[in-house]
Amino acid sequence: MFKKYIVLLVVLVLASCNTTKPVIVTKKNTPRASVPTVVKGKPETYKPAKKTVAKVPTKPSVAVSQKSKATVHNVPKEVIVSTSKTVVTSDVIVLYVSKFKDIAMGNMRNYGIPASIILAQGILESGAGNGDLALSANNHFGIKCHIGWTGESVNHDDDASQECFRKYENPSESFKDHALFLTSRNRYAKLFENQKGDYKAWAKGLRAAGYATDPKYPDKLISYIERYNLHQYDDLVLGINSNIKIKEITDELNISNKNSVAWNSDSYEVQKGDTLYSIAKKFALQVEDLKQKNNLTDNALAIGQRLIVK
């Protein structure tokens, strides 16, 4: 009986040892499976990829900045070379035309010189009012002293050193003297045979008559006239354009319906073809008295302008 108990005890011990072995094996297999997972999760190429992406946006931003700076500084300018070198923008030229177009049209009516030519010469010779002679002497046409000039003068380098140029109290005197200069010299007489408003013939004729020595002088004048539409002022004076301005002037003055002189006891409205001399004669005045009453500095008149005559 005792032997049976010993055998049973041995069997139980052996059975308990066999059940623990699979547990040990399972614990050992678990860490082996996790090792390759940890190694695969460490890619070495991620950091270089991030650096490349970070650099891409910086290049376009620099290029745009440099381009915008170039645009800001690239302002269109024009160099005008006459008795001095002047750099101006187109806005300056437009302002010059606006300021002196009425005087130019008045001189065209009184002296027969195309307003477009007057303005183009003024732009070129005075640097659109910003040249040395224009600023120091109100000389807008580069007219030299010549024999017989008794007015003020300034010296300025041109074809020769320190040449004598005429000086004026104001620009309007320069415009008037320009008209008298062309109308009083025989060498320019042929210009007035051209068809009125033929600015191309006038530009070429001025060069041929010796007004300027620059062989490109006519081309420069024509370029200014056409780029800035200066011939429109010739058309306004001649009345050959059916634009709105001329129609308004015609309607206002009723030119087609009346030939009578429009005036009242104190003032007179300038009509087409009037001059200071003809108006002064109608009212028994001297030209200088008429100019003084109306604060006029030259003989330029505009259709529709009202003058004090009493």
Side-chain angles (χ1 to χ4, degrees):
M1 188 65 178
F2 181 76
K3 291 181 180 180
K4 288 182 180 180
Y5 284 114
I6 293 173
V7 172
L8 180 60
L9 181 62
V10 171
V11 170
L12 290 171
V13 171
L14 291 175
S16 64
C17 290
N18 291 334
T19 55
T20 58
K21 287 181 180 179
V23 175
I24 294 171
V25 172
T26 303
K27 287 181 180 180
K28 289 181 180 180
N29 290 338
T30 301
R32 289 179 185 175
S34 63
V35 171
T37 303
V38 174
V39 173
K40 289 181 180 179
K42 295 182 180 181
E44 297 296 331
T45 58
Y46 284 178
K47 289 185 179 180
K50 289 182 180 179
K51 288 181 181 180
T52 304
V53 173
K55 290 181 179 180
V56 171
T58 61
K59 291 182 180 179
S61 62
V62 172
V64 171
S65 176
Q66 290 174 346
K67 186 176 181 180
S68 62
K69 288 181 180 179
T71 304
V72 170
H73 295 293
N74 189 22
V75 179
K77 295 180 180 179
E78 182 162 349
V79 179
I80 301 175
V81 180
S82 54
T83 52
S84 62
K85 183 177 180 180
T86 311
V87 181
V88 299
T89 61
S90 59
D91 290 343
V92 173
I93 296 177
V94 170
L95 184 62
Y96 181 86
V97 171
S98 176
K99 186 175 182 180
F100 295 109
K101 61 182 176 61
D102 291 330
I103 294 178
M105 287 190 290
N107 281 4
M108 181 176 180
R109 294 187 188 98
N110 294 329
Y111 301 102
I113 306 165
S116 59
I117 287 291
I118 296 171
L119 291 170
Q121 281 195 283
I123 292 169
L124 179 57
E125 298 290 347
S126 74
N130 288 270
D132 293 343
L133 280 177
L135 295 175
S136 65
N138 286 315
N139 190 331
H140 283 236
F141 296 92
I143 299 179
K144 298 178 182 179
C145 293
H146 298 289
I147 298 173
W149 174 252
T150 58
E152 291 187 68
S153 63
V154 295
N155 293 327
H156 185 79
D157 292 343
D158 191 37
D159 295 327
S161 176
Q162 293 298 289
E163 291 189 85
C164 182
F165 286 86
R166 300 183 183 188
K167 182 178 180 180
Y168 307 97
E169 289 187 7
N170 53 65
S172 63
E173 288 189 2
S174 176
F175 276 78
K176 178 181 178 179
D177 194 40
H178 169 260
L180 296 174
F181 184 83
L182 293 180
T183 55
S184 63
R185 282 166 169 72
N186 290 332
R187 63 175 175 167
Y188 299 115
K190 193 173 181 180
L191 290 170
F192 295 89
E193 297 176 5
N194 295 320
Q195 186 176 356
K196 291 183 178 180
D198 189 352
Y199 60 86
K200 291 184 179 180
W202 266 83
K204 295 173 183 177
L206 283 167
R207 166 74 175 88
Y211 192 97
T213 57
D214 183 1
K216 295 183 179 179
Y217 192 79
D219 295 333
K220 292 178 180 179
L221 294 182
I222 293 170
S223 175
Y224 285 124
I225 291 171
E226 295 180 347
R227 276 190 290 146
Y228 293 95
N229 197 26
L230 303 183
H231 48 79
Q232 67 176 308
Y233 304 113
D234 299 341
D235 295 341
L236 281 170
V237 174
L238 297 174
I240 61 176
N241 243 4
S242 58
N243 58 35
I244 296 175
K245 283 190 177 180
I246 290 182
K247 186 177 184 303
E248 288 176 351
I249 293 172
T250 303
D251 292 341
E252 182 182 350
L253 298 177
N254 295 318
I255 292 174
S256 60
N257 297 325
K258 66 178 183 179
N259 294 317
S260 59
V261 177
W263 75 81
N264 58 34
S265 58
D266 296 320
S267 64
Y268 172 78
E269 190 174 272
V270 176
Q271 307 293 303
K272 184 177 181 180
D274 279 341
T275 64
L276 278 178
Y277 176 78
S278 66
I279 296 171
K281 187 176 180 180
K282 287 172 185 175
F283 294 95
L285 295 171
Q286 297 293 323
V287 172
E288 291 303 317
D289 291 338
L290 185 60
K291 291 172 68 174
Q292 186 175 1
K293 286 177 183 292
N294 293 276
N295 296 320
L296 300 177
T297 58
D298 55 31
N299 296 333
L301 295 175
I303 295 175
Q305 181 179 354
R306 190 166 289 279
L307 300 176
I308 298 172
V309 294
K310 295 292 185 181

